[in-house]
Amino acid sequence: MPTGRIPGQSGPSEQLGLDFGDLPDRLLVCTPSKLSSFADCPRRFRYGYVDRPAPPKGPPWAHNSLGASVHTALKNWWALPVAKRTADPLATLLRATWVREGYRDEEQEREVFARALAWLEAYIATLDPEDEPVGVERTVATKTSVLALSGRADRIDRRGDELVIVDYKTGRGELTSDDARGSLALALYAFAAARQFRRPCHRVELHHLPTETVAAHEHTDESIARHVGRAEATARDIIAAEKSVAAGADPDEAYPMQPGALCSWCDYRKVCPAGAQAAVREPWTAVVPREPAVELD
Ligand code: SF4
């Protein structure tokens, strides 16, 4: 909703002789994924968050189904009484909330289910069931002068006097500490969690279940502030785009396409002119294991 005055009209502030021109814009209500969507491609943001009715999405992705299934199983595992946090209930938990969409056929789905169960069994063997997290799938929220931010962290641990943000990953590619350092979402969760729980939070971790590895980064207050500053800059860009369309600008110009590698995986590939040029991926492509690199003599 634009906040500007209607030209030629005087509002209560003018009548009272007040000038609100320097007041900040309204807060942008957002999640890290909403901000990342705009930063990755403003046009995709428009399709997903602005256009109503929203354009039709492509078919569901099997890798999203897999990720959601594993996340829910872990959430429900932590919800069990401590004595039951063993490997025994994992198959039942995973089956109960398994998302079936996007797979090539039942054979592939069964194979991926078995793979996901093996990941979970290996992963929970690394956990102390008695080490109760501060939060599981926990919503954290905070405000800055620009953002009304909220998001759901996969897990928030307490280690010593500090909180740690844990994010589960199920994609094919191994992750590095650079991925943890560069993640806007993790930094914003750390920022919000520290405020919400009134406890320092600098460490962020990506727990990659397929490779049983943890990619971690120890933020400083300054590096978190840089991420928050970047999020605020994106929020200002989003508000500016909204305002320009409200003032009559062409939505295609206010939300330009940003073609790139993401187009092949974009839900709006079929409705976006740039998406038509992108390589086609099957919905199940990202759950097919990569071929091991061939060693050449
Ligand atoms: S297909 Fe590419 S350019 Fe088009 S909305 Fe999706 S990410 Fe943006």
Side-chain angles (χ1 to χ4, degrees):
M1 182 76 70
T3 54
R5 302 181 191 101
I6 299 170
Q9 278 194 348
S10 68
S13 57
E14 285 85 347
Q15 290 158 11
L16 293 170
L18 301 174
D19 180 6
F20 290 165
D22 291 334
L23 280 180
D25 280 312
R26 66 171 173 80
L27 301 185
L28 183 80
V29 178
C30 64
T31 60
S33 63
K34 186 172 178 181
L35 292 167
S36 295
S37 172
F38 188 90
D40 288 344
C41 175
R43 180 63 59 86
R44 190 171 66 164
F45 174 91
R46 179 184 134 198
Y47 292 145
Y49 293 99
V50 180
D51 285 358
R52 292 295 176 267
K57 286 184 173 184
W61 299 97
H63 58 276
N64 287 345
S65 298
L66 170 61
S69 302
V70 167
H71 279 69
T72 311
L74 278 171
K75 174 187 161 203
N76 292 337
W77 185 83
W78 280 112
L80 294 171
V82 172
K84 292 194 171 168
R85 290 178 190 163
T86 67
D88 292 344
L90 283 174
T92 305
L93 291 177
L94 187 60
R95 200 168 293 114
T97 54
W98 180 254
V99 182
R100 305 199 58 189
E101 297 173 321
Y103 294 99
R104 184 186 57 219
D105 51 32
E106 284 196 21
E107 184 190 350
Q108 183 186 55
E109 189 185 337
R110 266 198 302 277
E111 185 274 315
V112 176
F113 181 92
R115 210 189 308 158
L117 183 57
W119 294 346
L120 286 168
E121 287 168 349
Y123 183 63
I124 64 121
T126 68
L127 302 175
D128 176 357
E130 295 189 12
D131 191 4
E132 201 67 49
V134 172
V136 173
E137 297 273 347
R138 174 69 194 242
T139 296
V140 289
T142 192
K143 288 179 182 171
T144 73
S145 60
V146 181
L147 300 165
L149 180 74
S150 68
R152 207 164 51 187
D154 289 346
R155 204 172 84 214
I156 303 173
D157 288 350
R158 179 170 172 182
R159 303 201 202 137
D161 289 335
E162 293 234 352
L163 301 177
V164 176
I165 302 295
V166 172
D167 199 42
Y168 306 130
K169 292 290 178 192
T170 57
R172 291 186 296 184
E174 193 166 347
L175 299 158
T176 69
S177 58
D178 281 350
D179 296 306
R181 179 173 55 84
S183 168
L184 178 72
L186 293 188
L188 294 180
Y189 291 149
F191 175 67
R195 285 182 161 191
Q196 190 164 321
F197 294 101
R198 300 176 194 280
R199 188 169 290 282
C201 183
H202 296 99
R203 186 174 176 84
V204 296
E205 295 182 346
L206 296 166
H207 291 202
H208 189 237
L209 274 66
T211 55
E212 300 175 36
T213 56
V214 173
H217 181 68
E218 199 79 37
H219 275 295
T220 61
D221 288 343
E222 291 72 26
S223 66
I224 287 179
R226 278 196 295 277
H227 274 289
V228 173
R230 203 172 310 147
E232 289 182 330
T234 302
R236 287 192 188 93
D237 289 344
I238 292 172
I239 291 170
E242 286 176 4
K243 281 185 170 179
S244 69
V245 172
D250 179 352
D252 283 355
E253 286 177 17
Y255 298 95
M257 294 180 284
Q258 208 156 285
L262 280 179
C263 294
S264 291
W265 305 100
C266 177
D267 283 331
Y268 302 105
R269 194 174 60 78
K270 286 197 175 150
V271 294
C272 173
Q277 317 297 321
V280 176
R281 310 282 183 201
E282 300 291 358
W284 56 85
T285 297
V287 299
V288 175
R290 288 201 176 110
E291 296 291 327
V294 178
E295 299 261 341
L296 297 175
D297 292 332

